[in-house]
Amino acid sequence: MIDIHSHVLPGVDDGSQSLEESLALLSIAAESGVHTLVATPHCNIPGEYENYVSEEMSARFERLDRARQRAGIHLRLCRGMEVFATDDLPRLLRENKIWTLNGTRYFLMEFAFDEDPDFCRWVLRQCKALDYWPVIAHPERYYFVQNDPDIAFDWCVEGFPLQLNKGSILGRFGPDPLRCSHQLLQHGLAACVASDAHSPRQRSTFMGEIQDYLMENFGTDYCRLLLEENPSRILSGRELLGYEPIPF
């Protein structure tokens, strides 16, 4: 499996708070069958977590990867960021202030839970016009998508991939994300599923349970598409695969 969304870089956001926690998260991922994991610290959250590309961020990533190797954790660690959508995001992309997913044109984008859908459409199209390909993080958690899943359908039709959280599918964020995530899966709108891990104790990198759940409830082919094939294509900058999206 490949996990493209995790907060394992220590001490930079609300995820891992220490090197020890980060190594525990990496170990849990590897033991659950994850062979490639992307560190995606929160980025561009005004007044909270900026985390733009810098020598310090690079050094933090390299320290973690060296510690992973010393600990004998057999897992490939890649760079990325979970980028909060703001008016100046297109400028930040032009100025190379954002780590894309493994250096490809794909990058992970999140919105405020109560964002204006018109703003979402505007910023997505602005990024696409720059030849960057936003992967929309956890759309099932946004209130406006829960209230109107046609928004997610329109994103998918325009070519914006949707990344669902394993915790939403398993009911750990409450009934609304559970319902919405299953709607998106049933309508063929999901491109991939990731952990969005924050700590070894809660929202961890353990992906075995979601693999079992998807295989049992959605079939082997869909499971492989969401956990291996499309994440692999994202990290190599290739076109994604999917089922024909079904309108609501």
Side-chain angles (χ1 to χ4, degrees):
M1 288 179 284
I2 299 173
D3 186 355
I4 69 161
H5 184 175
S6 69
H7 297 268
V8 300
L9 200 62
V12 296
D13 63 8
D14 59 345
S16 171
Q17 297 302 300
S18 68
L19 181 60
E20 291 73 23
E21 279 197 353
S22 295
L23 292 176
L25 282 162
L26 297 181
S27 180
I28 290 168
E31 290 170 3
S32 73
V34 174
H35 61 76
T36 302
L37 182 141
V38 188
T40 53
H42 285 295
C43 171
N44 195 43
I45 300 181
E48 196 167 2
Y49 305 120
E50 294 188 340
N51 291 331
Y52 303 120
V53 170
S54 66
E55 290 184 5
E56 179 190 355
M57 289 293 289
S58 294
R60 285 178 179 272
F61 179 88
E62 294 300 334
R63 276 197 300 272
L64 176 58
D65 203 30
R66 287 195 300 269
R68 175 198 62 80
Q69 295 175 52
R70 287 195 302 270
I73 301 170
H74 300 293
L75 174 148
R76 177 189 178 206
L77 186 63
C78 300
R79 299 186 193 205
M81 291 173 171
E82 183 181 15
V83 188
F84 189 76
T86 58
D87 290 336
D88 60 351
L89 176 53
R91 175 184 61 80
L92 295 170
L93 288 167
R94 287 194 302 269
E95 295 176 357
N96 298 313
K97 296 289 185 67
I98 306 298
W99 278 342
T100 60
L101 294 166
N102 197 38
T104 67
R105 305 303 286 185
Y106 289 104
F107 73 99
L108 193 64
M109 176 191 286
E110 69 168 332
F111 297 112
F113 283 17
D114 58 353
E115 188 56 89
D116 178 353
D118 289 337
F119 171 77
C120 298
R121 186 181 305 109
W122 175 84
V123 73
L124 286 165
R125 290 175 176 176
Q126 290 294 309
C127 295
K128 186 177 182 180
L130 296 172
D131 198 27
Y132 284 94
W133 309 328
V135 178
I136 301 172
H138 46 61
E140 76 282 355
R141 301 191 69 195
Y142 304 138
Y143 306 142
F144 55 95
V145 175
Q146 294 168 7
N147 293 332
D148 184 6
D150 278 325
I151 293 169
F153 176 81
D154 292 341
W155 286 342
C156 193
V157 169
E158 283 202 54
F160 300 117
L162 309 183
Q163 173 261 303
L164 308 190
N165 276 9
K166 68 160 187 171
S168 299
I169 299 167
L170 297 174
R172 292 173 185 163
F173 293 111
D176 291 331
L178 172 65
R179 171 185 50 80
C180 189
S181 63
H182 281 249
Q183 287 178 320
L184 299 180
L185 287 166
Q186 290 159 358
H187 283 253
L189 303 182
C192 58
V193 172
S195 69
D196 192 5
H198 278 65
S199 84
R201 297 167 298 280
Q202 200 171 23
R203 295 174 66 177
S204 83
T205 48
F206 184 76
M207 292 290 282
E209 57 189 345
I210 192 61
Q211 182 181 48
D212 292 343
Y213 185 88
L214 290 171
M215 287 183 67
E216 181 178 348
N217 292 278
F218 294 94
T220 302
D221 290 344
Y222 202 6
C223 177
R224 185 176 183 279
L225 181 76
L226 297 172
L227 297 179
E228 178 70 31
E229 182 63 39
N230 275 341
S232 174
R233 287 171 173 268
I234 287 170
L235 297 187
S236 57
R238 293 179 290 155
E239 184 177 353
L240 304 190
L241 302 178
Y243 297 99
E244 188 68 29
I246 302 169
F248 289 91

